[in-house]
Amino acid sequence: MTTVALKPATMAQALTRALRDAMAADPTVHVMGEDVGTLGGVFRVTDGLAKEFGEDRCTDTPLAEAGILGTAVGMAMYGLRPVVEMQFDAFAYPAFEQLISHVSRMRNRTRGAMPLPITIRVPYGGGIGGVEHHSDSSEAYYMATPGLHVVTPATVADAYGLLRASIASDDPVVFLEPKRLYWSKDTWNPEEPTPVDPIGRAVVRRPGRSATLITYGPSLPVCLEAAEAARAEGWDLEVVDLRSLVPFDDETVCASVRRTGRALVVHESGGYGGPGGEIAARVTERCFHHLEAPVLRVAGFDIPYPPPMLERHHLPGVDRILDAVGRLQWEADN
Amino acid sequence: MTVMEQRGAYRPTPPPAWQPRTDPAPLLPDASPYRVLGTEAAAQADPALLRRLYAELVRGRRYNAQATALTKQGRLAVYPSTTGQEACEVAAALVLQEQDWLFPSYRDTLAAVARGLDPVQALTLLRGDWHTGYDPREHRIAPLSTPLATQLPHAVGLAHAARLKGDDVVALAMVGDGGTSEGDFHEALNFAAVWQAPVVFLVQNNGFAISVPLAKQTAAPSLAHKAVGYGMPGRLVDGNDAVAVHEVLGDAVRHAREGGGPTLVEAITYRIEAHTNADDATRYRGDTEVEAWRAHDPIALLEHELTERGLIDEDGIKAARDAAETMAAELRAHMNQDPVLDPMDLFADVYAEPTPQLREQREQLAAELAAEREGTH
């Protein structure tokens, strides 16, 4: 058995590598968006692609999100696999009509004759000190649209594997990139990236016995930190990383909750009408008799994303998670 | 040292010289819509083309009448008629080569039929049995788009992709006057011009977006003028003159095919019927206006030319009408049969592989249907 040298790599580097490998493997893969060419993207995720593959395959488009996604639809209709970048979460909103009225339903409306293999990369979430319209968590909108896959990596290895899987998918995928994890490092072998599970599988990142934290994307490191801190309180927390919001992995989530008997959903986006409500309902419907306490949620407040100098009060942090974990002591209080 | 600190030494100079990127003059549309019929140029028009256009116009008029009748019988949920606009519909279909693509709006069923699509397949959206009743790739006709102007960027992307592959493909995208106010219209034209994509945009200006007249839709001198701002030529044509529309669109398609980039064509026409059968057009326009446009009828215009030049006689006119009647009878016969629908199709083709959630819901519906069949529901 040969040992491979694992080097530290950032999530952004893994994403770049995924794009590059996908473009090299398949000449129909085209990267497009504002600033993706010469500049290499404002987060440098598309760095070097225009130079390596030419401007026809990594294209700086006019500044128009509906136009970027709308033309990508036509390109996909002709047999290409466009990977579009939306630059920032809230910049994707002008493209919503294309996404919802066409991208998500083209396969269905044509009875399978015209699938659209488009990957829509959306850097999302807060914690980077961005000003207004640069920190939204818009996953609930995407989740509510049938026909879209919605995935979000939380680790360097997943960033590579899930992006490759998304580009290879014959269906449109909204690929949510937790932008505050772009610079998170992990040991990872870029020369021989480990394959990941197909889209739709959650993973237990930390086994535990006393409660399950269900989370994804930018909140995963926070949950892992909270789980470490909770040991002092005698809690042995299991942490499940969803990785895919659509399809949803009921199996992994419910298996965990049935083991622990308690569940807490953690995400940045607002709680009301947010992903946590859906997840809590699914867990309750399936695991009611195993639950020792109501499924709780720790989410962002139900407010427009706050200005950067106040965002730390909005984002779910370790203390707020630990406080909620304490409230999972339901039977003791009642 | 900052600019402020060196103020004493700083001498203001004029900004670097500015040059427009494109001379706007050749892009501007003519002052009045281009016409062939009724002018001396008509004598030069190819007799075979005139006859073909005529047969298609007569068939198209009959198709519009038949589809409208089907809404009254409850066989179609809705039908947006193109009566009076047949010249645009037919010319749009006939200028394209087989490998080219048509991107119709919800009103352009007739263009799809004139391109060769089966009339029944073309109507599934409007009957309500499925959204798109045909394989777009097989016919190179995109799905009829209900949201306005959103199909225009698709046409640009497809034409761009074809050109990248080195294929000889032109996309012709159709939109109404109301659709030109949508953001997607702007983005599509801008992308097309920047990419020099082989696309032709055909605006059928039929005077109204449901009830809103053009004067409340735009302040532009004409919709064709909008092209200039994007750096593409704008052309104005009489939309009821089938020969003129065919010629202008033909030029635009050729220009695109030869690498000249996109063109915006505005065809001035009129919607003789209401927006759809659900609309009451008497609330927003008077009979005088409608009658004036009836007198400028696309079929009568062409029939007059054919008769004057001795290219058609009573028998020829009757033959065209008989062929249209046969098409209408076949359409009627097919549409009077109830479509056979499978409720399980609800879950087909949402994704390549159904999600676990959809599989569960599929089982639920299957159980409900089984219970219905057993009469326990």
Side-chain angles (χ1 to χ4, degrees), chain A residues 60-92:
Chain A
D60 273 333
T61 64
L63 202 175
E65 287 75 13
I68 294 168
L69 190 52
T71 52
V73 169
M75 291 164 74
M77 286 170 84
Y78 204 76
L80 300 184
R81 283 184 184 269
V83 183
V84 309
E85 177 177 301
M86 286 295 163
Q87 201 160 94
F88 281 93
D89 32 57
F91 295 1

Side-chain angles (χ1 to χ4, degrees), chain A residues 213-269:
Chain A
L213 302 189
I214 304 163
T215 191
Y216 55 87
S219 294
L220 176 69
V222 189
C223 285
L224 290 171
E225 195 186 332
E228 281 307 305
R231 280 166 51 169
E233 311 284 328
W235 286 91
D236 179 20
L237 298 176
E238 181 146 309
V239 178
V240 174
D241 174 7
L242 293 174
R243 306 205 290 188
S244 166
L245 297 170
V246 181
F248 188 83
D249 186 354
D250 288 300
E251 212 176 304
T252 302
V253 170
C254 290
S256 170
V257 175
R258 287 188 188 115
R259 277 195 300 274
T260 63
R262 291 178 173 82
L264 173 67
V265 190
V266 181
H267 58 63
E268 275 186 36
S269 77

Side-chain angles (χ1 to χ4, degrees), chain A residues 55-306:
Chain A
E55 289 178 15
D56 282 345
R57 299 230 8 232
C58 179
T59 308
D60 273 333
T61 64
L63 202 175
E65 287 75 13
I68 294 168
L69 190 52
T71 52
V73 169
M75 291 164 74
M77 286 170 84
Y78 204 76
L80 300 184
R81 283 184 184 269
V83 183
V84 309
E85 177 177 301
M86 286 295 163
Q87 201 160 94
F88 281 93
D89 32 57
F91 295 1
Y93 301 154
F96 264 41
E97 184 179 18
Q98 284 294 340
L99 185 72
I100 286 153
S101 294
H102 293 292
V103 173
S104 65
R105 63 178 82 191
M106 190 67 86
R107 173 189 285 279
N108 184 249
R109 69 140 61 101
T110 60
R111 289 181 180 266
M114 189 161 269
L116 293 180
I118 303 175
T119 302
I120 302 150
R121 294 181 39 240
V122 186
Y124 82 120
I128 62 158
V131 295
E132 195 180 10
H133 302 299
H134 289 73
S135 301
D136 287 17
S137 294
S138 32
E139 57 267 35
Y141 306 135
Y142 302 113
M143 288 170 70
T145 304
L148 301 176
H149 289 297
V150 185
V151 305
T152 176
T155 67
V156 172
D158 269 7
Y160 179 88
L162 288 175
L163 186 51
R164 288 298 304 270
S166 299
I167 297 170
S169 167
D170 286 332
D171 283 317
V173 181
V174 176
F175 190 87
L176 297 167
E177 299 177 1
K179 63 174 97 73
R180 76 169 130 129
L181 300 186
Y182 271 145
W183 305 281
S184 65
K185 280 192 180 175
D186 207 345
T187 47
W188 179 68
N189 178 15
E191 299 313 314
E192 209 174 309
T194 330
V196 300
D197 290 334
I199 289 173
R201 302 267 175 83
V203 63
V204 175
R205 294 287 179 203
R206 183 191 193 281
R209 288 174 292 103
S210 33
T212 302
L213 302 189
I214 304 163
T215 191
Y216 55 87
S219 294
L220 176 69
V222 189
C223 285
L224 290 171
E225 195 186 332
E228 281 307 305
R231 280 166 51 169
E233 311 284 328
W235 286 91
D236 179 20
L237 298 176
E238 181 146 309
V239 178
V240 174
D241 174 7
L242 293 174
R243 306 205 290 188
S244 166
L245 297 170
V246 181
F248 188 83
D249 186 354
D250 288 300
E251 212 176 304
T252 302
V253 170
C254 290
S256 170
V257 175
R258 287 188 188 115
R259 277 195 300 274
T260 63
R262 291 178 173 82
L264 173 67
V265 190
V266 181
H267 58 63
E268 275 186 36
S269 77
Y272 187 81
E278 174 63 33
I279 296 164
R282 301 189 77 82
V283 168
T284 307
E285 284 169 359
R286 284 163 180 75
C287 314
F288 184 72
H289 294 293
H290 294 82
L291 288 172
E292 306 285 341
V295 182
L296 298 182
R297 289 171 291 166
V298 171
F301 296 129
D302 297 323
I303 55 171
Y305 196 87

